[in-house]
Amino acid sequence: MRKNLFFILLFLFSITSAFAQYTPFYQYTLLAPEVMDEIIGESSGETAINHVFEMVGYQRNRPASEYGSAYFREGKYVLDKLNEYGIAGAEIERFDGGKTWDGIKGELWEVEPGKIKLADYKDIALSLAEGSKPTDVTAELVWVEEGLKSDFEGLDVKGKIVVTSATVSRVHNTAIEKGALGVVAFGSSRELTAPLAIPASGIRGENATFGFYLTPREGYKLRDRLIHGEKIKVHAVVESQMLPYDLQVPTCVIPGSDPDAGEVILSAHIFEGYTKQGANDNVSGGAAILEVARIINQLVADGRIPQPKRSIRFIWVPEFSGTIPWVSAHADIMEQTLCNINLDMVGLHLKSNNSFFSLMRTTFGNPHYINDVMENYFVYMGEANREILANRSNKRIANQIIAPSGTDDAFYYQIEQHYGSSDHEVFNNWTTHVPGVMLITWPDMYYHTSQDTPDKLDATQMKRAAVIAAAGAYNIASADEEMAGSIATTSFSYGSKRMGIELGRALDELKYTDAESFETTCKKVKVYLEATCKNELATLQSVTELATDSKILATQLETLSASTKQLFEANSVVLDNQIELTASKLGLEVPSYKLTKLEKEASEFIPVPSEKIKVGAFRVEGAVRNLPKAIQEKYPYTNIASTTELCALINGKNSALDIKKMLDTQHKEVSDLQSVLNYCGLLKEAGLLN
């Protein structure tokens, strides 16, 4: 049997290798070439990047007239464009936002020994720290280095304004406790690459006074003067107010032909607070999905592509703060939603920033074919837009997709493990369980700074982002029985590659084990194969929703699932053989892998979510922090790699032991099994588990 499995492994590896990467002369997409040609041809990088210029041409003082029941500039622009494009159901939904800080004026002048303006809110909006309160003071500056408590020792800062190379937020509270009036800062994590960039920062609390930011270049000049003993006095003036505001969510839908077939949702944030107004990190994703909405709507209206079976919905949100109430208010839509495609920062010129356009996959808690559909278009964009050496005597670049005013760079991309910190997390949360992926350019040396401006973007990158998002969304929205089968085989192909990667990881970790850690390492690396296989099987089954009554698809999925299990068994043969060789080298016996008492208990405990898990109740698991101290002490937990992922893995099927294995496979940190059980105990005490 072991010999047969070895040959199965060789056979499957030869097949999956062919599918896992493109040959030099053959690039393909799930959508038919004629549909892709229409999407590529209709897409406009110039239109997308012009949206950015219109919404955030520069960072400015947002006028008070935009708050309250009025429209924020960005949201009104999106709504006007949707109406111009004739897209159905265009509206702005509103949710209560409470009150927010609004800057009016902020000036910092040196008045002794010279008369020099150091900072002005009108020049650079981020030069005034968000949360600064009204003030009008003249005071001496004092240098406090990084603003650590030890840096204040022996310094008299009472009635003075401190200057620091750290951030305003880090130094402010300590400075005020010591009697300082306010803070001038020039801290930046990217001062060598972006010496003129001011980071977005703020101050909070009842004791908040004011803070000004200088660029690192100007900050170091001021520091040197103070270090050399120069007495400098400044005049600081701040005018600000707190204003009520609404959370505004522009939205529209391209209706599908079958109202009961479900939806695909594209999301992007156009606000991240209302002071920071970045081009890449704030509105590039929103500009891209606005172009996606135009592309698909136009192509369908012209009859150039068929109306999709499923609806495609678009939402432009305040990051997290708007997504959470919108999802919560639309539980009915969430029940019908197949998946979410979230575009965060997508327009950066990749080459000049050493950046990649990355697809952040879902976790094992949300296994879904959306990962593989989107990967298909990422890979196509990468392969079709680079010069391939093997093709040098023929067509060197298969299908160059560029904007007329953009670069003609290759497409630098990565398919990466899940990362949160954007709106797809609201969809992925266990209260909603709508699988969501994120598209993002990273790294970005300018994000969250005053230099996140439209000149850093590339029209070609905006076009490519729009093409990928439009193709992925339309692919799923229009999928029939035959396309569902193609998606399933694509998931199997990419899944086989992922299983091979985990085998390679397991074999490599095994190389570095010693006699003391041998048994633990063996158990750990075998888990990598087991957990990954479970995730791939669940991913294949997720395709069922595209053709629920199809016997053909059901049979196809049975075959692919059986092949996945065979591949797991074949990989296990290879790993077990290496374990035997390693045991022999170390003079040890192969471990028995018998479950411990705790593991047996965990394998028999299958947590089931309760009715209290309502759609949109984002981070409801935070309720465990409000449990009585006695209960928390009864169920102590440490070393859980991610409680968010732990909760997402609670589906009424996974045992507590399964959950630990899946956590360990996805994270560097090993989760403690007793802690996993204890955390489930806390969730049950909070009424979140049956």
Side-chain angles (χ1 to χ4, degrees):
M1 178 62 181
R2 292 169 67 88
K3 187 174 181 180
N4 289 339
L5 284 173
F6 178 72
F7 284 113
I8 290 171
L9 173 65
L10 290 177
F11 173 71
L12 287 173
F13 181 77
S14 66
I15 293 176
T16 57
S17 294
F19 282 100
Q21 57 186 347
Y22 290 110
T23 55
F25 50 83
Y26 190 75
Q27 293 83 32
Y28 70 94
T29 58
L30 283 162
L31 286 174
E34 58 269 21
V35 176
M36 281 303 298
D37 288 344
E38 292 288 0
I39 291 173
I40 293 167
E42 183 62 33
S43 66
S44 169
E46 281 73 20
T47 298
I49 206 168
N50 286 342
H51 292 327
V52 178
F53 276 101
E54 292 288 349
M55 286 190 275
V56 186
Y58 63 95
Q59 299 184 21
R60 62 178 188 137
N61 170 25
R62 189 181 295 279
S65 59
E66 291 188 17
Y67 293 91
S69 59
Y71 290 109
F72 288 114
R73 179 185 72 256
E74 298 91 331
K76 182 64 164 57
Y77 177 83
V78 169
L79 180 63
D80 288 345
K81 281 296 175 183
L82 294 174
N83 287 327
E84 177 186 323
Y85 298 153
I87 297 177
E91 62 173 328
I92 290 182
E93 297 185 48
R94 292 175 178 268
F95 304 91
D96 180 50
K99 287 190 173 184
T100 189
W101 179 87
D102 173 50
I104 301 171
K105 179 180 180 179
E107 292 186 9
L108 182 68
W109 284 82
E110 176 185 328
V111 293
E112 289 183 17
K115 187 70 181 289
I116 305 170
K117 184 164 70 172
L118 301 175
D120 193 331
Y121 184 52
K122 295 194 302 293
D123 295 339
I124 302 176
L126 292 183
S127 64
L128 179 62
E130 183 178 354
S132 292
K133 293 184 178 177
T135 192
D136 187 341
V137 297
T138 299
E140 183 181 337
L141 296 180
V142 57
W143 171 243
V144 295
E145 300 187 29
E146 294 183 5
L148 303 174
K149 288 191 176 182
S150 58
D151 292 329
F152 281 89
E153 292 178 5
L155 290 178
D156 177 16
V157 300
K158 189 173 183 179
K160 300 176 183 178
I161 299 171
V162 303
V163 180
T164 177
S165 59
T167 61
V168 171
S169 57
R170 192 170 110 184
V171 177
H172 174 270
N173 288 349
T174 301
I176 301 309
E177 287 173 6
K178 301 287 186 180
L181 299 176
V183 179
V184 175
F186 58 92
S188 170
S189 61
R190 290 156 278 178
E191 60 186 38
L192 296 179
T193 53
L196 300 182
I198 291 176
S201 185
I203 52 179
R204 303 283 186 274
E206 294 181 1
N207 296 326
T209 58
F210 65 89
F212 282 94
Y213 253 108
L214 307 181
T215 65
R217 183 184 69 184
E218 299 308 307
Y220 279 113
K221 291 178 184 177
L222 187 62
R223 178 205 65 173
D224 290 347
R225 292 174 63 192
L226 292 170
I227 286 176
H228 288 98
E230 192 171 350
K231 299 291 184 181
I232 303 173
K233 278 191 176 181
V234 296
H235 180 206
V237 177
V238 175
E239 294 179 18
S240 64
Q241 59 188 341
M242 297 297 292
L243 292 176
Y245 72 102
D246 289 339
L247 293 162
Q248 301 175 23
V249 180
T251 180
C252 72
V253 63
I254 296 175
S257 59
D258 182 355
D260 299 322
E263 296 190 359
V264 176
I265 294 181
L266 287 99
S267 61
H269 71 269
I270 52 175
F271 307 106
E272 191 175 347
Y274 298 101
T275 303
K276 185 180 80 66
Q277 301 163 58
N280 194 39
D281 187 23
N282 254 35
V283 300
S284 66
I289 69 168
L290 183 55
E291 175 61 1
V292 171
R294 186 196 67 79
I295 292 167
I296 297 176
N297 185 70
Q298 190 67 54
L299 292 176
V300 171
D302 291 348
R304 291 151 64 188
I305 61 174
Q307 180 184 13
K309 179 180 180 181
R310 301 166 188 86
S311 297
I312 304 175
R313 189 176 297 273
F314 300 81
I315 59 171
W316 291 261
V317 294
E319 190 175 34
F320 282 106
S321 62
T323 318
I324 294 168
W326 188 89
V327 167
S328 183
H330 294 289
D332 55 334
I333 294 176
M334 292 302 100
E335 291 293 331
Q336 291 288 312
T337 302
L338 276 62
C339 55
N340 163 243
I341 302 170
N342 181 53
L343 278 68
D344 195 289
M345 306 150 49
V346 303
L348 191 68
H349 179 214
L350 302 177
K351 194 172 183 179
S352 63
N353 281 270
N354 294 321
S355 187
F356 291 84
F357 194 36
S358 297
L359 170 66
M360 314 308 296
R361 294 170 43 82
T362 64
T363 66
F364 287 10
N366 282 286
H368 200 263
Y369 58 84
I370 179 62
N371 298 295
D372 301 309
V373 170
M374 298 307 295
E375 181 171 348
N376 176 257
Y377 295 104
F378 267 79
V379 174
Y380 175 78
M381 191 68 72
E383 294 298 301
N385 283 281
R386 70 182 182 92
E387 185 171 323
I388 299 174
L389 182 60
N391 291 348
R392 61 183 302 211
S393 61
N394 195 356
K395 192 174 183 181
R396 296 184 180 185
I397 299 178
N399 185 17
Q400 193 171 48
I401 300 169
I402 58 175
S405 65
T407 67
D408 61 355
D409 296 342
F411 180 63
Y412 307 103
Y413 74 96
Q414 288 287 342
I415 311 300
E416 298 195 32
Q417 187 170 323
H418 178 82
Y419 185 78
S421 297
S422 192
D423 300 288
H424 61 304
E425 281 301 83
V426 181
F427 291 92
N428 280 311
N429 191 263
W430 72 317
T431 61
T432 307
H433 260 311
V434 171
V437 295
M438 175 172 68
L439 281 58
I440 187 169
T441 54
W442 191 260
D444 178 351
M445 69 179 75
Y446 303 109
Y447 98 112
H448 284 207
T449 77
S450 58
Q451 289 200 308
D452 184 1
T453 47
D455 59 296
K456 310 303 189 304
L457 308 187
D458 173 24
T460 290
Q461 170 58 23
M462 290 294 287
K463 178 183 176 79
R464 291 170 175 174
V467 168
I468 289 171
Y474 182 76
N475 195 161
I476 295 170
S478 62
D480 56 12
E481 179 185 66
E482 184 177 357
M483 178 57 75
S486 295
I487 290 172
T489 55
T490 298
S491 286
F492 172 75
S493 170
Y494 291 158
S496 301
K497 178 177 67 175
R498 289 187 289 267
M499 291 174 72
I501 289 171
E502 288 303 315
L503 173 61
R505 172 192 177 192
L507 293 170
D508 192 69
E509 287 193 24
L510 195 60
K511 285 193 306 187
Y512 299 102
T513 190
D514 55 24
E516 184 177 353
S517 62
F518 178 64
E519 183 172 353
T520 301
T521 301
C522 289
K523 291 180 72 171
K524 183 172 70 168
V525 298
K526 285 180 74 67
V527 160
Y528 297 162
L529 272 59
E530 178 187 342
T532 302
C533 180
K534 285 178 71 74
N535 183 65
E536 298 306 336
L537 289 170
T539 298
L540 287 171
Q541 289 307 309
S542 71
V543 182
T544 303
E545 68 184 10
L546 294 174
T548 52
D549 299 324
S550 170
K551 293 182 179 179
I552 294 174
L553 179 62
T555 301
Q556 195 171 11
L557 290 174
E558 281 183 20
T559 301
L560 294 172
S561 296
S563 297
T564 299
K565 292 174 184 176
Q566 287 179 325
L567 183 55
F568 164 68
E569 291 172 0
N571 285 345
S572 297
V573 169
V574 174
L575 181 58
D576 287 343
N577 182 63
Q578 190 60 42
I579 287 172
E580 290 175 8
L581 292 173
T582 304
S584 177
K585 183 180 75 171
L586 296 174
L588 301 171
E589 295 292 326
V590 173
S592 66
Y593 308 117
K594 183 179 179 181
L595 294 181
T596 65
K597 181 180 178 181
L598 184 63
E599 288 171 339
K600 190 172 187 304
E601 175 190 343
S603 70
E604 295 171 352
F605 173 56
I606 300 176
V608 179
S610 73
E611 291 298 316
K612 196 172 180 180
I613 304 299
K614 302 292 185 182
V615 169
F618 186 59
R619 290 178 178 158
V620 68
E621 64 271 15
V624 301
R625 291 192 295 270
N626 298 322
L627 290 170
K629 185 178 179 181
I631 293 178
Q632 295 194 41
E633 290 176 347
K634 181 181 178 182
Y635 298 103
Y637 67 93
T638 57
N639 298 330
I640 296 178
S642 169
T643 55
T644 299
E645 174 63 1
L646 184 156
C647 290
L649 288 164
I650 295 174
N651 59 6
K653 299 176 183 177
N654 292 326
S655 70
L657 184 59
D658 292 331
I659 290 171
K660 174 194 160 42
K661 289 178 178 179
M662 291 183 176
L663 287 171
D664 289 349
T665 301
Q666 296 178 87
H667 297 92
K668 183 177 180 180
E669 179 185 351
V670 176
S671 293
D672 175 65
L673 181 56
Q674 185 62 64
S675 291
V676 171
L677 286 166
N678 286 356
Y679 195 79
C680 288
L682 290 171
L683 292 173
K684 187 174 182 180
E685 291 285 352
L688 302 177
L689 297 183
N690 287 330

